[in-house]
Amino acid sequence: MKHGKKYVEGAKQIDRAKLYDTNEALDLCIKTGTAKFDETVELHVKLGVDGRHADQQVRGALVLPNGTGKNVRVLAICKGDNIDAATAAGADYAGAEEMVQKIQSEGWMDFDVLITTPDMMGLVGRLGKVLGPRGLMPNPKAGTVTPDIAKAVQEAKAGKIEYRLDKTNIIHCSIGKVSFGAEKLQENFDAVMDAIVKAKPSAAKGQYVRSCVVSSTMGPGVKINPAKFV
């Protein structure tokens, strides 16, 4: 693969054979995140589990201490007083059947998070084939199916993220922007890793955190020593 000039220059600052301390790795992410836009800092964690087994799934959600740096567009599918509550909490869009119809008939997807109440899941479930592949299907474990719609909207707006294993047993998530600086990124990193470690399945055997890498959107990956998470 051929990389751009900035990527190549950034890669020269990183020792590929070294496992860095977290603060060093995040400093390097900031130094190599030199694109013309504010790059996202991404975390990639490979776990020693087999996600094909239900008792080894790792999934959860948390509000990052310093948010994600992204303006999150929230759709709340609910009815009655919950529509007013969701709107007051900051939802960009709120409604019931008309919102489901808009997605079904128009292919409308101008939102980043979909939150709903348990009584609406029968309706929202019809959108599974559309929302599922995009990772937008509401889920109680992620806190996006809840009777407290206002709280869920506020958390989403404040920088709540969901983490889950992919098919290769790796968790990918963003922990902020390069412009956050090392201190805020460190706080977000610590919060995510603490959640992942606490979510360790009882069925998991051997080393749990196999590898940990951080990178900016356009920059090279920086390996972090996973020993501290054992």
Side-chain angles (χ1 to χ4, degrees):
M1 183 183 294
K2 187 175 182 180
H3 292 291
K5 183 179 178 181
K6 288 185 178 180
Y7 181 98
V8 173
E9 288 300 313
K12 290 179 181 177
Q13 302 180 53
I14 298 167
D15 182 350
R16 292 285 186 176
K18 181 177 178 179
L19 296 176
Y20 289 88
D21 288 334
T22 308
N23 58 341
E24 285 184 282
L26 292 173
D27 280 336
L28 283 168
C29 270
I30 293 169
K31 289 176 182 177
T32 56
T34 56
K36 292 181 180 179
F37 62 92
D38 191 7
E39 295 185 48
T40 296
V41 177
E42 301 164 354
L43 170 63
H44 311 275
V45 185
K46 184 171 181 61
L47 300 179
V49 297
D50 187 346
R52 294 174 298 178
H53 301 289
D55 61 352
Q56 294 188 48
Q57 271 294 326
V58 179
R59 180 176 187 174
L62 75 153
V63 177
L64 294 177
N66 300 297
T68 62
K70 180 182 178 182
N71 179 30
V72 179
R73 300 167 299 172
V74 177
L75 165 62
I77 294 182
C78 49
K79 59 185 178 182
D81 292 341
N82 278 325
I83 293 178
D84 294 331
T87 303
D92 298 88
Y93 313 98
E97 288 86 353
E98 71 277 14
M99 303 309 296
V100 173
Q101 183 62 29
K102 189 176 177 68
I103 294 170
Q104 282 182 321
S105 61
E106 300 176 25
W108 179 75
M109 298 294 291
D110 293 339
F111 54 92
D112 304 300
V113 177
L114 193 163
I115 298 169
T116 190
T117 48
D119 61 317
M120 298 297 287
M121 272 307 291
L123 190 65
V124 175
R126 302 174 193 171
L127 302 173
K129 290 183 179 179
V130 178
L131 300 176
R134 293 175 171 82
L136 293 170
M137 191 66 186
N139 186 286
K141 289 184 179 179
T144 45
V145 179
T146 173
D148 194 344
I149 198 87
K151 181 182 178 183
V153 169
Q154 289 171 347
E155 289 181 341
K157 284 290 189 179
K160 187 173 185 176
I161 64 165
E162 182 182 359
Y163 61 87
R164 61 185 300 180
L165 288 176
D166 68 6
K167 292 181 180 179
T168 59
N169 300 314
I170 298 175
I171 289 174
H172 310 271
C173 57
S174 65
I175 57 171
K177 299 286 187 178
V178 165
S179 62
F180 279 21
E183 185 176 342
K184 287 184 176 180
L185 287 173
Q186 179 78 60
E187 290 173 357
N188 282 358
F189 174 91
D190 289 342
V192 174
M193 288 305 302
D194 185 54
I196 291 173
V197 170
K198 286 181 178 177
K200 179 181 179 180
S202 57
K205 305 297 181 185
Q207 185 176 342
Y208 180 52
V209 179
R210 296 287 179 86
S211 67
C212 182
V213 177
V214 288
S215 66
S216 60
T217 305
M218 305 294 288
V222 187
K223 297 176 184 177
I224 293 175
N225 189 346
K228 66 174 289 186
F229 308 114
V230 174

